[in-house]
Amino acid sequence: MPDLPGIADGLVRAVRFHRIAPLAHVALRETRPELAALLREDRDSALTHHVRATTSLEAVASVLGDVRWVVFKGPVLSETLHPATGLRSYGDLDLLVAPGDLRTACERVLGAGWQPLATRHDLLNDEVTGELEVGRPGSTLVDLHWSLVLSETMRRRFHVPTAGLLARSTPLTIGSVSARTLDPADTLVHLCHHAAFSAAMRLLHLLDVDQAARRIDDWQAVADRARSWGAVAQVGLVLGRARRVLGTPVPADLDRRLGLSRGFGVLVSTIDAASPTAAVRREASWPRRVARAARPSATRTAAAALRNGLVGAVDRARPARAPESSAAARREDVEAWIAAVEVVSGTASPTR
């Protein structure tokens, strides 16, 4: 790496934006120790957070008892997929339970001292959020999911049954906890889906996808899973972007297996070539718009991206709306949300 004016500041800003500062510290320790030193705090923070998260996972696991659950995202990726174990940047601890077990899981977790961190507006609306965020002093925040898809609007578009995810889950150990997580195909499809709606611009998300893809033995299972979820465009876009940026090995006929049009691949690769991922940090950029608007054909993707851009411009031109209520959710609000989940998931008891 050449010694150019401002390179240290630019490097620190870039790796922090892309959320790979701890990994950059490890990569630079031998060759550029003076640059690595600038990122030592990031490494220490990531490691401390991961230790706290594993301790929190142990506590939640003991409380959930016989409730079936899986852990996914942050600590799983840090332990199993990140090039530097334990140093992946992440925030919350994500757990998934069956909709029919949500009431019991919430009762046990809240009864053990965790408090709901959502607002009343987060819980009491027609979208019936797919998660409840809870926390307690000294612990990592926990997102307790009943669905991987976080709103009714999105669940009408993406079909991701929790029962199948739990049935296919695989065992792993995190710290001292014997747990289960999503199987390899579900993990990769979910990472692509999550990355696409986060704009698929940060190198951390592409690195997650790259590492997950390198562990896939059955690509037809990935294609079939993406089709069943309705997430073929997100999987094709993010894997294509990871291949161009990181050299991720994917089958040459992946787009055909996913049922994507040839024009879709041309559109995405052309936009990525014009605005390389590593250089784009603006919110209003075409790679971001296309990732969030991805549909199985180029025409539908472009139309959705243009429509979203127009809606965004109109919203920005409108007078600011009054902020939504930030009143903290109460136990009765959590109860009302659980009841709504049971209705939309078809698990409501006839006696309730």
Side-chain angles (χ1 to χ4, degrees):
M1 182 182 298
D3 286 311
L4 299 174
I7 191 171
D9 289 343
L11 172 71
V12 170
R13 286 196 301 271
V15 296
R16 285 177 177 166
F17 171 81
H18 286 288
R19 299 180 60 193
I20 56 171
L23 181 60
H25 167 82
V26 173
L28 292 168
R29 279 187 305 196
E30 298 297 328
T31 58
R32 296 299 298 270
E34 76 284 2
L35 293 178
L38 300 174
L39 303 169
R40 184 178 296 115
E41 183 178 347
D42 298 85
R43 181 221 39 200
D44 293 346
S45 177
L47 184 58
T48 300
H49 179 76
H50 184 58
V51 171
R52 183 184 300 114
T54 58
T55 302
S56 299
L57 178 62
E58 182 177 4
V60 177
S62 66
V63 167
L64 288 176
D66 60 354
V67 172
R68 191 177 188 186
W69 55 275
V70 299
V71 57
F72 63 104
K73 289 172 64 177
V76 176
L77 302 178
S78 188
E79 286 278 339
T80 65
L81 292 182
H82 200 60
T85 302
L87 293 185
R88 184 191 182 276
S89 299
Y90 65 96
D92 302 336
L93 182 60
D94 290 277
L95 303 181
L96 175 70
V97 301
D101 289 333
L102 180 65
R103 181 178 296 276
T104 299
C106 287
E107 288 173 352
R108 292 180 181 180
V109 169
L110 297 179
W114 275 271
Q115 296 296 322
L117 301 179
T119 67
R120 298 193 71 206
H121 177 78
D122 292 333
L123 299 183
L124 305 181
N125 61 69
D126 293 339
E127 291 293 350
V128 191
T129 180
E131 65 181 6
L132 174 68
E133 185 179 47
V134 299
R136 71 178 184 182
S139 294
T140 301
L141 300 183
V142 175
D143 283 342
L144 188 59
H145 294 251
W146 64 273
S147 173
L148 291 190
V149 186
L150 297 185
S151 70
E152 273 296 283
T153 297
M154 294 295 280
R155 287 189 289 272
R156 286 192 288 270
R157 183 175 164 196
F158 299 102
H159 183 61
V160 189
T162 297
L165 298 171
L166 294 173
R168 293 187 296 268
S169 64
T170 59
L172 83 163
T173 300
I174 298 179
S176 62
V177 182
S178 295
R180 299 186 72 85
T181 192
L182 305 179
D183 83 353
D186 284 328
T187 293
L188 180 56
V189 175
H190 177 250
L191 287 173
C192 289
H193 184 267
H194 176 71
F197 285 98
S198 300
M201 296 301 301
R202 296 186 192 270
L203 290 178
L204 178 69
H205 292 150
L206 296 184
L207 182 62
D208 289 340
V209 168
D210 172 84
Q211 295 295 295
R214 293 177 188 275
R215 289 161 173 76
I216 293 296
D217 295 321
D218 184 355
W219 279 97
Q220 190 55 48
V222 173
D224 292 344
R225 201 69 47 80
R227 283 175 176 267
S228 70
W229 286 27
V232 293
Q234 290 70 36
V235 171
L237 181 144
V238 176
L239 280 170
R241 189 167 285 176
R243 177 179 57 79
R244 288 185 288 274
V245 174
L246 299 174
T248 303
V250 299
D253 65 343
L254 180 62
D255 282 1
R256 179 189 63 78
R257 296 193 196 194
L258 292 171
L260 297 172
S261 71
R262 182 176 179 276
F264 174 86
V266 171
L267 172 67
V268 174
S269 60
T270 299
I271 287 174
D272 284 0
S275 302
T277 297
V280 176
R281 300 184 202 172
R282 292 180 296 106
E283 180 67 21
S285 63
W286 278 107
R288 288 175 180 269
R289 288 172 177 161
V290 168
R292 290 169 174 158
R295 303 293 193 279
S297 73
T299 302
R300 291 173 61 193
T301 298
L306 289 169
R307 181 173 62 252
N308 292 348
L310 179 60
V311 170
V314 171
D315 286 345
R316 288 190 295 273
R318 287 174 176 165
R321 292 179 295 181
E324 295 167 344
S325 172
S326 60
R330 299 167 299 186
R331 288 295 184 93
E332 54 263 40
D333 300 323
V334 175
E335 169 65 29
W337 169 70
I338 294 171
V341 170
E342 291 172 341
V343 169
V344 300
S345 65
T347 59
S349 169
T351 62
R352 290 191 180 276

